Amino acid sequence: MIVLGLLVLNYVLMAVLSPGREPSVTIPYSNTAANNGFIQQVEAGNVTKVNTQGDTVDGEFKNEVKYPDSKAKPAKNFETQLPSYVTFSSNNELQKLLDSNKVETSATPINDGRGFFTSLLLGFGPVILLVFLFIWLSRRAAGGQMGAIGQFGRSKARRVEGNETKITFNDVAGIDESKGELAEVVDFLKNPEKYQKLGGRIPRGVLLAGRPGTGKTLLARAVAGEAGVPFFSISASEFVEAIVGIGASRVRDLFKQAKEAAPAIIFIDELDAIGRQRSSGGGPFSGGNDEREQTLNQILTEMDGFEQGDTVIVVGATNRAEILDSALLRPGRFDRRVTVPAPDKEGRKKILQVHTRSLPLDDNVDLDDIAAITPGMVGADIANLCNEAALLAARRGHGKVERVDFTDSLEKIILGAPRGIILSDEEKRRTAYHESGHAIVGMLTPGADPVRKVSIIPRTMSLGVTISSPDAERTNYDVDYLTGRIKVALGGRIAEEVVYGSISAGAESDIQQLTGIARQMVGRWGMSAAIGPIAVIPSEGQGPLLPGVSEVSQATQELIDHEVKRIVDEQYAAVMTLLSENRDKLDSLTERLLEEETLDMDDAYAAAGLVAPRAPVDVPLNA
Ligand code: ADP
Ligand code: ZN
């Protein structure tokens, strides 16, 4: 009772203190995968104002931003926490950044109205509590759904889209197979009688499985658009922390509306948030979660309750299909799975075409070329890149979007924006040696990816960077290539060791990277004789093959660790020798880097006294 009262009090207080405020998302300070962190949004000119209170920043976006893992619809308001090194540093770089991006800034003392309410609460807490509780109870009695809880439930309302925002298959590119598999669903929604006449069992649920940003939501909306039917959507993750009962009642509502509007599509995003295996023991938090269970059960009940005439198709999306409860995947439920893969180079080119349709492109922009330098990016990343490039072009006063606008935006997305910190000469030299170490090892290791760029301009994410990338997309990795990557990752740290006899903390991400590669070599790719070709660690994005059960024995686990260490140690010794023997190259690249700060491929190789490898010339097949 008390807890419930406090909860209500909390909502009422929040409503009083922030009148009319839309719910906001909490976002990272910088660099999310999709680069929608606070700093990125400020730099992109998409933040209009911020208000700080202590190290909490509340702000408003110019254009709504959709966060892949946010529980809400695209967000207009956001909240982020300043890291302590930002708040306490005496420099005001952040202010400068905000000023240069025309962000209106203001601050609220930490002791504001909330303090007043808090003290009031402490003094008259019990009385207020009773009063509010009373009000709440009477409102609930009177208004039913419209009581306080109803209000809360409504704040994240599902949205319904008619035909006005018509998205079609033309807007979805690079994932033709997934599109092809959904063509039947479109046909079914358009001509349900055709299927029903023959007594065929119509599809009820379709599961779209793929990484965030691959276009699952887009695809579902395109199906609705193609078929000309309304699109109802809901994100399952909304219910995880909700008050028990809300999820189930909202699901009931949603299905009711969709049935009334049938034929229709119901889209349930992040299905794994409520649909994970119920039996997955193991973690300490895996006990029953009532709300999750109830919501899930309600979805199942609704799907089972469809009648022959209900032309409603439920499309679920997840990036973790393998953890879904098998009850969801039974016939009549989500029994069709459509994989939505990350696009290959050709696919990325097509997505680029879609997102540059309305951009004036300079002649020097070759989308083939941009597709080639964006391996690993998915649709959402590419949409973001095109947007950033357009913004950058505008800021630079270019009449059209030029190639450099794309390449600079890409660099910013991958590496973070340049950061205006001043390094001491000593720090700079050390960073230059570190990066030169990576680069020299990359240049001298046969089979390693060519070094494209070396830079010691400090960026949001690191003090310096060495970029190497293959000429074409690699689809298969051999042992030499992988040990080469480990060597390159070790190069920075070992260069410091060779030159200074000590290492700095700057090598953390290098170490993570190389440990990851070594572990996969041993555990997934069967590249260690001692373990043999046995998959002892699950593939990416998958939990253990059986939930909660570790599949390897203690002894094997130790052997894995031992093998990983052996592989890394061997490469360590090899790199130590390589860099000691090529100290002259290391020194001359470092000197050049200190002068220029950034070296492109040709200059970097030349500075080391080497010749840059040339990409093999593409011979058109039908020339
Ligand atoms: P998901 O639901 O898989 O996380 P979304 O459908 O929300 O991804 O994708 C976010 C945005 O990225 C889309 O609105 C669209 O602008 C862009 N996008 C993603 N995939 C594609 C694609 N295959 N073709 C064109 N645009 C895409
Ligand atoms: Zn490094």
Side-chain angles (χ1 to χ4, degrees):
M1 194 64 151
I2 299 285
V3 175
L4 201 63
L6 276 177
L7 208 69
V8 173
L9 191 64
N10 200 6
Y11 284 125
V12 176
L13 276 184
M14 269 163 52
V16 172
L17 291 177
S18 42
R21 220 167 155 274
E22 281 180 53
S24 66
V25 284
T26 303
I27 67 174
Y29 181 66
S30 72
N31 279 304
T32 58
N35 270 284
N36 287 333
F38 173 59
I39 293 295
Q40 282 75 27
Q41 286 298 311
V42 171
E43 280 164 351
N46 195 31
V47 174
T48 51
K49 56 179 165 189
V50 297
N51 179 55
T52 59
Q53 185 175 26
D55 28 11
T56 304
V57 180
D58 283 305
E60 230 178 87
F61 289 130
K62 189 191 282 166
N63 297 312
E64 295 189 339
V65 180
K66 180 170 193 287
Y67 286 84
D69 51 5
S70 95
K71 297 176 194 99
K73 49 190 177 175
K76 184 86 179 165
N77 294 307
F78 65 88
E79 187 181 313
T80 190
Q81 290 293 325
L82 295 180
S84 54
Y85 56 80
V86 176
T87 11
F88 296 123
S89 67
S90 54
N91 72 41
N92 49 7
E93 292 302 331
L94 180 59
Q95 186 64 47
K96 276 189 219 151
L97 181 70
L98 292 170
D99 287 342
S100 69
N101 285 286
K102 306 209 171 42
V103 182
E104 186 188 323
T105 60
S106 59
T108 310
I110 297 180
N111 256 327
D112 71 336
R114 274 174 217 239
F116 169 70
F117 272 98
T118 316
S119 46
L120 206 67
L121 240 181
L122 287 176
F124 304 98
V127 180
I128 298 185
L129 207 108
L130 280 176
V131 170
F132 275 110
L133 200 62
F134 176 73
I135 296 179
W136 175 64
L137 282 174
S138 54
R139 277 179 72 181
R140 201 170 83 120
Q145 279 277 318
M146 295 328 260
I149 296 225
Q151 298 273 341
F152 168 67
R154 258 194 343 193
S155 69
K156 289 171 184 166
R158 62 214 162 256
R159 53 186 186 282
V160 184
E161 276 153 31
N163 301 343
E164 59 293 347
T165 55
K166 194 161 169 156
I167 288 184
T168 67
F169 278 159
N170 278 336
D171 301 302
V172 188
I175 42 176
D176 293 343
E177 278 181 34
S178 321
K179 259 186 346 194
E181 289 184 60
L182 289 168
E184 192 197 3
V185 176
V186 173
D187 193 40
F188 166 71
L189 285 167
K190 273 185 168 160
N191 312 300
E193 320 80 35
K194 182 168 110 191
Y195 291 81
Q196 281 154 357
K197 215 163 47 199
L198 296 175
R201 203 171 54 75
I202 45 181
R204 283 300 177 211
V206 180
L207 186 66
L208 301 180
R211 271 169 54 186
T214 43
K216 299 182 293 298
T217 314
L218 189 70
L219 209 46
R221 293 175 66 170
V223 169
E226 288 285 331
V229 305
F231 177 78
F232 295 82
S233 106
I234 201 165
S235 174
S237 66
E238 288 169 32
F239 306 128
V240 175
E241 296 141 28
I243 295 171
V244 175
I246 291 208
S249 85
R250 201 138 15 121
V251 165
R252 209 175 307 125
D253 258 25
L254 181 69
F255 276 78
K256 186 161 159 262
Q257 285 192 43
K259 278 192 221 169
E260 279 162 10
I265 291 236
I266 294 179
F267 179 67
I268 306 180
D269 205 358
E270 301 180 77
L271 194 57
D272 46 278
I274 51 163
R276 60 176 67 234
Q277 305 248 1
R278 281 181 269 197
S279 58
S280 56
F285 302 112
S286 57
N289 174 326
D290 280 351
E291 180 57 11
R292 206 180 269 170
E293 291 250 318
Q294 283 192 17
T295 312
L296 176 58
N297 285 336
Q298 192 64 39
I299 292 177
L300 297 180
T301 311
E302 296 286 348
M303 288 180 80
D304 293 346
F306 276 140
E307 284 163 20
Q308 185 67 4
D310 297 333
T311 4
V312 175
I313 293 189
V314 187
V315 180
T318 179
N319 61 336
R320 312 185 62 196
E322 69 288 341
I323 65 160
L324 289 182
D325 197 300
S326 53
L328 269 170
L329 308 176
R330 260 184 233 146
R333 296 172 178 173
F334 293 98
D335 52 4
R336 299 199 174 198
R337 185 185 296 193
V338 174
T339 306
V340 187
D344 60 7
K345 184 178 154 206
E346 201 48 40
R348 292 195 299 274
K349 182 180 164 192
K350 290 186 186 146
I351 300 175
L352 280 162
Q353 281 165 348
V354 167
H355 288 279
T356 52
R357 272 199 299 232
S358 56
L359 296 182
L361 291 186
D362 192 275
D363 287 342
N364 65 14
V365 176
D366 176 0
L367 295 184
D368 250 324
D369 188 39
I370 295 172
I373 56 176
T374 47
M377 283 194 159
V378 295
D381 300 325
I382 293 170
N384 181 32
L385 172 64
C386 294
N387 186 41
E388 290 269 334
L391 289 174
L392 191 58
R395 206 175 318 149
R396 287 171 168 172
H398 292 170
K400 292 179 169 180
V401 188
E402 297 179 14
R403 187 188 143 82
V404 287
D405 299 322
F406 277 98
T407 51
D408 287 354
S409 301
L410 182 64
E411 209 161 284
K412 196 179 118 189
I413 288 173
I414 299 176
L415 306 172
R419 189 163 51 141
I421 56 169
I422 311 290
L423 295 182
S424 70
D425 284 351
E426 196 39 51
E427 280 171 314
K428 224 168 154 177
R429 177 165 289 271
R430 190 167 191 129
T431 306
Y433 266 115
H434 180 103
E435 297 309 329
S436 299
H438 287 305
I440 295 285
V441 175
M443 293 172 184
L444 296 179
T445 304
D449 290 331
V451 175
R452 307 285 170 180
K453 187 166 202 164
V454 193
S455 158
I456 53 167
I457 297 175
R459 292 180 178 263
T460 334
M461 298 179 67
S462 67
L463 294 181
V465 69
T466 303
I467 305 178
S468 34
S469 67
D471 287 320
E473 209 149 336
R474 284 189 188 264
T475 47
N476 207 353
Y477 306 118
D478 61 22
V479 179
D480 287 342
Y481 175 70
L482 293 167
T483 52
R485 295 251 320 250
I486 296 179
K487 285 194 177 109
V488 172
L490 282 167
R493 179 187 164 96
I494 296 179
E496 289 185 53
E497 205 175 328
V498 167
V499 175
Y500 296 97
S502 68
I503 44 187
S504 69
E508 187 182 330
S509 64
D510 296 339
I511 294 174
Q512 276 170 359
Q513 189 193 1
L514 69 94
T515 319
I517 297 173
R519 282 188 63 81
Q520 311 227 51
M521 288 175 70
V522 175
R524 273 178 69 191
W525 299 323
M527 289 173 177
S528 133
I531 301 275
I534 299 171
V536 287
I537 54 174
S539 15
E540 236 164 319
Q542 292 192 351
L545 299 181
L546 291 173
V549 182
S550 171
E551 266 141 69
V552 294
S553 66
Q554 185 67 29
T556 310
Q557 192 59 53
E558 274 162 23
L559 193 55
I560 297 173
D561 293 343
H562 182 261
E563 282 296 287
V564 168
K565 181 155 169 25
R566 180 186 59 80
I567 291 180
V568 175
D569 283 350
E570 276 174 24
Q571 305 318 316
Y572 208 106
V575 173
M576 193 53 133
T577 314
L578 184 76
L579 284 180
S580 306
E581 282 173 357
N582 291 283
R583 178 69 196 263
D584 53 332
K585 293 191 171 57
L586 184 65
D587 287 338
S588 50
L589 179 56
T590 302
E591 292 312 324
R592 224 16 235 301
L593 202 49
L594 283 168
E595 286 162 25
E596 305 282 336
E597 298 204 319
T598 293
L599 296 172
D600 283 333
M601 184 166 180
D602 287 335
D603 292 340
Y605 277 85
L610 297 164
V611 181
R614 280 283 70 125
V617 182
D618 263 334
V619 185
L621 281 177
N622 46 4

